[in-house]
Amino acid sequence: HGRRPWWGNRAAMKEVHGIEVNMLTPSIPILYMDVSSCFNEYASQMLQAAMDSGGKADSLYEYVSDPALYKMTRQQFGFREDDVMLARARQPDLHHVRGLGSGKRSTILAVVVALALEKHGQLPELWSLLEGYHLQKNFQELLDEVKRQGANPDSASHKASQPGSGGNSGGGGGGRKSKQRSFVHRAAGVEVQIIGAGKVPVVNMEKGSPFSECASWCLQMITGSLKKADSLFKYVNDKQLMAECRELGFTAEEVFVGELCSDTLQEANGLRAVGVAGKRSVMLSMTLSILMQGHVKLKKFVQEFASYDDTLTKPAWDVFGVAYSDEVAYDYGGDDGASSSYWKFGDGGRKSGGGGGSFGGG
């Protein structure tokens, strides 16, 4: 498989053992870990060992927001806030230990690296784990590169070697091919599957999808909120949905379950949605979930959405139409309906017709 695409200034990232790395500050690493990396399968175990904890890895760190750091990532690497995830160690006396990654596993490993820097490598449980997997030398080489870049950020930002080439293997967020795929709807670089008794969308999204650029805007628009999109939902632990995602072939590290907590569309709060391509895929999935449950009318939402860019009219119908019926008529040819067409969604689709609240509260 080719590499999953990385955005921003990839030339500023140095690759070590399948991990593209740089330092945002002398203590905050920023990582992208390819699925082929020798550390990919062990990120969660490494965090548990580094924290000397028997608890689940998800309980040992938390996602945080820091506008100043996001501004730095944009200035230094060209990454937007939606491109990266910022997390810190959950232990109160280690809240200053933070790392950024392109996805869940990358972020977990970034926190491990930050912790290793904080403790000057004095993490006996971690090194013991790595020794068992014959990875101690590899991790030391990763730390050495991180330290080198932290000590010389100008060189790291401008003279790092080009990362390895490779085409997009599809699935912009690293979701694996399903072991058990009932029906998969694909359109405009977006892949949708439905779980949770037909109520919860699972979204994978390629970096090149037109919706990659406007996922946050979609969620703000459908909720009618002026707040930042990532404040309109929270990450939750849902064992049932996680189990269903595992049946589709995704691992716990690849799955993000979001729950709506909107300040405006409050009647829809509590809806859940799954993304497997990072934060943006959760936002797009949440938009689909709202449509699926009828809180907003599909036609009115798509018309409003497309009014900002008419080139998105057909992609919008193709993607958001998954929220409705086994057979849905969609119109992207203008008011006269001359270019309407049909597409079929497989088992478990919603029936078309009336239902649903009006978009924008009107």
Side-chain angles (χ1 to χ4, degrees):
H1 293 287
R3 289 184 179 279
R4 183 173 54 182
W6 176 252
W7 40 97
N9 182 15
R10 290 190 70 187
M13 308 290 284
K14 179 69 174 179
E15 184 175 349
V16 182
H17 297 301
I19 298 170
E20 293 175 26
V21 59
N22 209 314
M23 294 296 287
L24 185 63
T25 73
S27 62
I28 301 178
I30 178 168
L31 306 181
Y32 160 63
M33 180 164 57
D34 190 88
V35 294
S36 65
S37 171
C38 56
F39 297 107
N40 186 56
E41 296 296 323
Y42 307 111
S44 294
Q45 294 180 56
M46 289 173 68
L47 181 60
Q48 291 170 313
M51 299 290 291
D52 194 14
S53 172
K56 289 187 175 181
D58 285 350
S59 70
L60 303 178
Y61 71 100
E62 58 191 358
Y63 294 106
V64 292
S65 179
D66 188 322
L69 286 183
Y70 288 137
K71 183 178 180 180
M72 290 175 65
T73 63
R74 186 169 61 251
Q75 292 173 338
Q76 293 184 31
F77 303 103
F79 304 150
R80 296 170 303 183
E81 185 173 340
D82 291 343
D83 292 333
V84 292
M85 297 176 173
L86 173 66
R88 68 182 182 187
R90 183 166 283 178
Q91 189 172 311
D93 62 335
L94 293 175
H95 277 178
H96 59 287
V97 174
R98 295 179 291 177
L100 292 116
S102 61
K104 188 172 183 179
R105 292 191 189 191
S106 298
T107 306
I108 290 174
L109 189 63
V111 173
V112 174
V113 169
L115 190 60
L117 294 175
E118 166 74 13
K119 299 293 186 179
H120 304 288
Q122 301 302 307
L123 297 168
E125 294 298 324
L126 174 61
W127 289 109
S128 177
L129 174 76
L130 293 171
E131 184 178 6
Y133 291 120
H134 306 289
L135 291 174
Q136 68 272 36
K137 181 175 181 289
N138 293 14
F139 189 67
Q140 184 61 61
E141 290 170 352
L142 175 62
L143 285 183
D144 290 344
E145 178 58 34
V146 165
K147 292 174 183 177
R148 187 189 72 79
Q149 295 196 36
N152 190 6
D154 288 336
S155 173
S157 295
H158 301 291
K159 299 180 182 179
S161 65
Q162 293 288 344
S165 61
N168 177 12
S169 60
R176 297 181 178 182
K177 294 296 183 184
S178 299
K179 293 183 294 186
Q180 178 179 322
R181 296 171 94 83
S182 51
F183 181 86
V184 184
H185 177 70
R186 298 184 182 91
V190 175
E191 182 179 275
V192 183
Q193 298 179 79
I194 307 296
I195 61 173
K199 296 180 179 179
V200 180
V202 179
V203 169
N204 196 1
M205 181 166 56
E206 296 179 5
K207 182 256 181 181
S209 168
F211 294 96
S212 179
E213 300 297 322
C214 59
S216 57
W217 173 47
C218 286
L219 186 56
Q220 290 170 313
M221 178 179 291
I222 200 167
T223 58
S225 177
L226 298 176
K227 290 189 174 182
K228 294 180 69 172
D230 58 6
S231 72
L232 301 178
F233 69 96
K234 60 184 178 181
Y235 294 110
V236 296
N237 181 24
D238 189 312
K239 294 182 179 179
Q240 178 59 38
L241 293 182
M242 190 65 72
E244 292 186 51
C245 286
R246 282 198 297 270
E247 288 296 311
L248 295 176
F250 300 108
T251 67
E253 287 81 5
E254 294 167 328
V255 174
F256 297 86
V257 181
E259 181 177 287
L260 188 70
C261 51
S262 168
D263 60 321
T264 47
L265 195 67
Q266 295 183 3
E267 66 272 21
N269 283 348
L271 286 184
R272 294 191 172 181
V274 176
V276 295
K279 189 190 301 184
R280 294 186 189 186
S281 66
V282 180
M283 293 175 181
L284 191 65
S285 186
M286 191 64 69
T287 302
L288 273 170
S289 184
I290 292 169
L291 289 169
M292 287 172 61
Q293 298 306 310
H295 291 285
V296 171
K297 289 182 178 178
L298 175 65
K299 183 176 181 179
K300 194 169 185 178
F301 170 70
V302 171
Q303 287 175 338
E304 182 74 11
F305 174 79
S307 69
Y308 290 89
D309 184 349
D310 58 8
T311 65
L312 292 175
T313 304
K314 184 181 183 300
W317 276 114
D318 288 343
V319 171
F320 296 124
V322 75
Y324 282 80
S325 101
D326 300 306
E327 189 173 280
V328 176
Y330 63 85
D331 175 7
Y332 55 90
D335 293 338
D336 62 0
S339 299
S340 57
S341 183
Y342 288 88
W343 65 269
K344 290 186 177 182
F345 177 60
D347 298 335
R350 286 173 53 89
K351 295 296 182 184
S352 62
S358 60
F359 171 65

